Amino acid sequence: MQKLCSASLWPVYGPDALRQLESRLQHSNPQPLMQLAGLAAAQLALAIAPHARRIWVAAGPGNNGGDGLEAAMHLHLWGKQVLVSWMGSTAHAPPDALMAWQRASTAGVAFQSAIPENWLKDMDGQDLCIDALLGLGAHRALGLEMQACVQAIQKLPGQVLALDGPTGLNLENGQWLGSPDAPTVAVRAHHTLTFIATKPGLFMGHGRDACGQIWLDDLGHRANDCDVPPQAWLNAADAPRIKSHASHKGSHGDVAVIGGEPMALRGMGMTGAAVLAASAALHAGAGRVILSLLSGQATEHALPDLMQRDWQRLDLEQLHVVCGCGGGEAIRAHMPEVLQRSAQLVLDADGLNAVADDPALQNLLRQRAELKPTVITPHPLEAARLLKTSTAQVQSNRLQAAQNLATLFHCTVVLKGSGSVIAAPGQTSRINTSGNGRLATGGTGDVLAGLVGARMAQGLGPFEAACRAVAQHGQLANDWPDDLPLTASALAQHLR
């Protein structure tokens, strides 16, 4: 069993691959997988709640419930006071779950079909609930009976251990079960134990709030010896970059930031976004950073370390360009030249919106391909505009949406959000596990764009630069002192 963290580099599998892995393990393992999973769950339950007097197991009608029944049997035999609420029936239970019920019943585990409200009232903060209601195959909104069970779980004072994933969470995409307009109730677990391999939804969307600490028991699966390709990899945190002694400013690349719509155009100046991106590139270690505001004028609010220059005087063919931050409507007229001339390009925000609205710009972006490396950094709405779909569709399959964008525009994609996805043609996508809700403040996306630009300027390829930048960006938020507000400008200044 392994405890997963933001530094974990681990393969992530979709449902089809998981079924294939499960089938192989069932044929190669002398012991049923459900029994192995139940034993692992019981062992983890003792580890996280060693002083629990009462353990309530909420077991669903399928195989996830069977895992819970196996865990209940072991905990009962180890002397714990266990009560199981099983929503299944002996007439309709899958074969493995039926066997688990028989083993638990024979061992003397106590069952109660209804929610044991009086029994639950005597539980305290040291006690434990095991959520074994639904697993990987759940896609529909919860029925009333299961909703009531979830609500009972959420009222308990002790810890909650979810098996495979918290009930109410779609393990394929990290969204709540049900429609976006009427999401289902869901368990918020303190710990989640997932089996065989990790699932995408644990690390994306609401999964990052619902799962708590994630644990993995592979039940004998060895990723290094497997020929089933993963859907993605978790994106491991990056070590700080240290400049060598025998280097100079020209050794670490030149970044130009083009953006910042002037106030005069629409009465809504956005020069701050471009300044933030440039500040991020500077603090991240780029050798020289040039700020080119779309007004063509210098600003007093930029750091003195930044050079300022009219973008039309830039030698784009020699530069790593970050374009679009705060660009507004003003960026559209300049996009053809930026797309055609920039040696390497990070395209963000209004630069992406301009491309989404103009087929000619889309063609220019595609034509850059491998000769002129490009990273685009959309949030879900910008991704939806580029793909001509809805935000809900993007969020329903973030891995596929990111890969579709990478294929469509022949570039590296950072699909931002909870569990940012990094995708590129010919690469296995990454799901980023660092970061938290403190990044949900204006300007942090501009900081990320500048950081990606700096990493490319320092010699990394676009996919590796994006992976490292996203990991570092999130890790800074994880390490941020609780008593200090996280602002985009402070975030930029803490980059290394």
Side-chain angles (χ1 to χ4, degrees):
M1 188 182 303
Q2 299 196 32
K3 181 179 181 180
L4 301 185
C5 63
S6 60
S8 299
L9 181 62
W10 203 261
V12 179
Y13 291 88
D16 293 339
L18 281 167
R19 281 188 281 270
Q20 189 176 350
L21 294 177
E22 183 175 359
S23 177
R24 291 186 179 188
L25 287 172
Q26 285 175 337
H27 285 92
S28 64
N29 207 310
Q31 189 173 4
L33 294 184
M34 186 172 290
Q35 294 180 20
L36 295 175
L39 177 59
Q43 291 169 335
L44 182 57
L46 282 188
I48 63 178
H51 304 297
R53 297 179 304 108
R54 294 186 170 209
I55 298 176
W56 179 40
V57 179
N63 285 332
N64 191 251
D67 296 339
L69 295 175
E70 286 285 344
M73 181 196 71
H74 289 291
L75 291 165
H76 170 75
L77 293 175
W78 296 340
K80 293 296 183 180
Q81 186 177 353
V82 181
L83 182 61
V84 176
S85 295
W86 186 41
M87 292 187 177
S89 70
T90 56
H92 299 98
D96 287 349
L98 179 60
M99 182 183 297
W101 172 82
Q102 291 169 339
R103 284 161 54 84
S105 299
T106 302
V109 173
F111 284 80
Q112 182 171 329
S113 57
I115 297 173
E117 295 182 3
N118 291 332
W119 194 83
L120 296 180
K121 287 179 182 178
D122 291 331
M123 293 180 72
D124 61 28
Q126 297 188 96
D127 294 331
L128 177 71
C129 172
I130 296 179
D131 165 25
L133 292 170
L134 292 175
L136 179 64
H139 293 94
R140 293 179 295 180
L142 306 184
L144 294 178
E145 182 182 12
M146 199 163 286
Q147 287 188 44
C149 200
V150 169
Q151 290 168 346
I153 292 172
Q154 292 304 105
K155 293 177 182 177
L156 297 178
Q159 295 194 80
V160 177
L161 168 61
L163 302 188
D164 220 20
T167 296
L169 181 73
N170 187 322
L171 299 186
E172 294 181 36
N173 57 28
Q175 300 303 300
W176 300 130
L177 296 176
S179 68
D181 296 330
T184 190
V185 295
V187 169
R188 268 69 166 182
H190 300 90
H191 298 266
T192 294
L193 173 59
T194 195
F195 301 111
I196 302 179
T198 56
K199 290 84 178 173
L202 301 176
F203 307 99
M204 294 192 292
H206 301 293
R208 303 198 58 208
D209 294 313
C211 292
Q213 175 60 57
I214 298 174
W215 302 79
L216 170 68
D217 194 296
D218 58 31
L219 305 185
H221 166 61
R222 297 293 179 262
N224 293 336
D225 299 330
C226 180
D227 60 356
V228 179
Q231 186 177 11
W233 287 83
L234 299 185
N235 189 39
D238 184 32
R241 295 180 62 83
I242 300 174
K243 292 183 176 182
S244 64
H245 292 290
S247 64
H248 53 82
K249 62 185 178 182
S251 305
H252 303 284
D254 296 339
V255 175
V257 177
I258 302 173
E261 181 180 87
M263 180 76 75
L265 186 63
R266 294 186 299 155
M268 188 173 65
M270 296 187 289
T271 57
V275 172
L276 284 170
S279 176
L282 182 70
H283 285 98
R288 289 172 292 212
V289 181
I290 305 167
L291 175 62
S292 294
L293 298 176
L294 295 174
S295 65
Q297 300 176 346
T299 175
E300 298 176 355
H301 302 293
L303 295 170
D305 314 76
L306 296 172
M307 294 181 282
Q308 297 192 58
R309 191 176 301 168
D310 188 319
W311 84 271
Q312 293 177 325
R313 298 178 59 192
L314 296 176
D315 187 5
L316 296 179
E317 289 82 359
Q318 305 301 318
L319 292 170
H320 303 81
V321 177
V322 178
C323 178
C325 301
E329 293 296 321
I331 196 66
R332 294 176 182 267
H334 310 305
M335 285 300 300
E337 197 164 351
V338 168
L339 288 169
Q340 292 177 89
R341 293 179 53 203
S342 301
Q344 300 200 38
L345 177 63
V346 179
L347 197 58
D348 186 46
D350 292 314
L352 295 172
N353 291 330
V355 169
D357 291 343
D358 190 335
L361 294 181
Q362 294 166 24
N363 287 331
L364 290 177
L365 178 55
R366 291 188 192 97
Q367 289 167 14
R368 292 181 56 83
E370 296 180 3
L371 295 178
K372 296 180 178 179
T374 306
V375 177
I376 65 174
T377 57
H379 56 55
L381 177 56
E382 291 162 348
R385 289 169 179 156
L386 289 165
L387 290 170
K388 310 302 180 188
T389 186
S390 66
T391 303
Q393 285 294 106
V394 168
Q395 295 292 74
S396 70
N397 196 336
R398 289 171 54 79
L399 281 167
Q400 190 61 56
Q403 193 59 57
N404 288 347
L405 282 171
T407 301
L408 180 62
F409 294 114
H410 313 302
C411 65
T412 295
V413 177
V414 176
L415 177 55
K416 296 183 288 192
S418 175
S420 294
V421 177
I422 306 100
Q427 298 282 353
T428 302
S429 297
R430 299 279 186 91
I431 301 174
N432 194 62
T433 55
S434 64
N436 54 51
R438 300 181 77 174
L439 289 171
T441 186
T444 58
D446 304 308
V447 171
L448 177 61
L451 177 56
V452 175
R455 294 292 176 254
M456 293 174 73
Q458 291 161 341
L460 296 181
F463 183 73
E464 186 180 2
C467 289
R468 292 194 181 192
V470 172
Q472 183 187 7
H473 186 258
Q475 193 60 45
L476 274 177
N478 287 350
D479 297 338
W480 205 262
D482 291 337
D483 58 342
L484 292 179
L486 191 157
T487 63
S489 57
L491 186 69
Q493 291 167 20
H494 280 77
L495 292 172
R496 296 292 183 270

